[in-house]
Amino acid sequence: MPLSKIIFNKYDTDSSGTITATEFKYMAYDLGYYISDNELEIAIKTVDSSGTGAITYDDFSKWWKNSDRWEKVKLTEENISILSTLSEEFQKFDTDKSGTIDINEFKNFYKEITKKANIFPGDEEAMFEQLDSNHDGQISFNEYVDYLSAKYKGDLSNYKK
């Protein structure tokens, strides 16, 4: 059994098949990484690709395989502030509060991000496809952050606030 599965099972204390925010925080602390409540909130949004607030083994194993996995959840105050701003903006356009932006919600989101993120207006449909990296017809918060992170070469401080 892979180490990631052993650790996942150990911290999935209720055997739900997912790790909750509380379980993730205990795991991080037990492994020597104390994370603040702000970092925990961002960590869950970063690791949980479905946006449910709970981490599946599939999400956990993808995160665990990264050698810089703790860097993704250990954030500077500036990065916490930026990610918080991005989350607020994303949620403003997630009108049905599903945790994702669908093609209908994207029209207004697209107008906003072409202004704020210094993205040149172009083909709206092509932009949607680029942001929807898993091609499920919806843009998750993680897909949006991954896009911006790639655009700014990992330095989100270049994002216009």
Side-chain angles (χ1 to χ4, degrees):
M1 182 180 302
L3 179 60
S4 61
K5 186 68 173 170
I6 293 167
I7 290 174
F8 182 87
N9 288 343
K10 178 179 179 183
Y11 291 96
D12 176 16
T13 57
D14 60 0
S15 300
S16 64
T18 61
I19 291 181
T20 65
T22 302
E23 291 167 337
F24 188 87
K25 187 169 187 167
Y26 287 139
M27 179 206 63
Y29 193 48
D30 285 352
L31 295 175
Y33 296 91
Y34 178 79
I35 54 178
S36 69
D37 289 340
N38 284 338
E39 289 170 324
L40 178 62
E41 183 179 334
I42 299 301
I44 296 302
K45 288 180 180 176
T46 302
V47 179
D48 171 28
S49 67
S50 65
T52 62
I55 300 168
T56 64
Y57 176 68
D58 186 47
D59 288 338
F60 182 82
S61 68
K62 287 176 189 168
W63 171 76
W64 187 262
K65 287 177 187 173
N66 288 314
S67 59
D68 66 343
R69 62 185 161 262
W70 294 109
E71 294 304 312
K72 291 180 180 261
V73 299
K74 200 74 171 141
L75 303 169
T76 64
E77 287 299 317
E78 181 183 27
N79 282 339
I80 288 171
S81 174
I82 292 166
L83 286 171
S84 179
T85 299
L86 290 174
S87 179
E88 286 172 22
E89 290 174 357
F90 188 88
Q91 289 177 44
K92 183 170 66 173
F93 295 98
D94 176 18
T95 56
D96 63 0
K97 304 301 178 211
S98 64
T100 60
I101 292 178
D102 64 28
I103 193 70
N104 296 322
E105 295 166 321
F106 184 70
K107 294 184 185 317
N108 290 326
F109 184 64
Y110 177 74
K111 290 175 191 169
E112 183 77 10
I113 64 172
T114 54
K115 287 189 285 188
K116 281 211 169 174
N118 200 16
I119 298 169
F120 297 106
D123 183 0
E124 190 175 313
E125 188 176 322
M127 175 59 78
F128 184 87
E129 288 177 16
Q130 189 174 7
L131 285 166
D132 181 20
S133 60
N134 68 358
H135 310 292
D136 65 354
Q138 303 173 59
I139 300 166
S140 70
F141 179 68
N142 288 349
E143 287 173 318
Y144 178 50
V145 171
D146 288 348
Y147 170 82
L148 291 175
S149 188
K151 177 177 176 41
Y152 297 120
K153 298 178 176 64
D155 184 6
L156 289 177
S157 66
N158 290 322
Y159 177 77
K160 289 185 179 181
K161 296 176 188 163

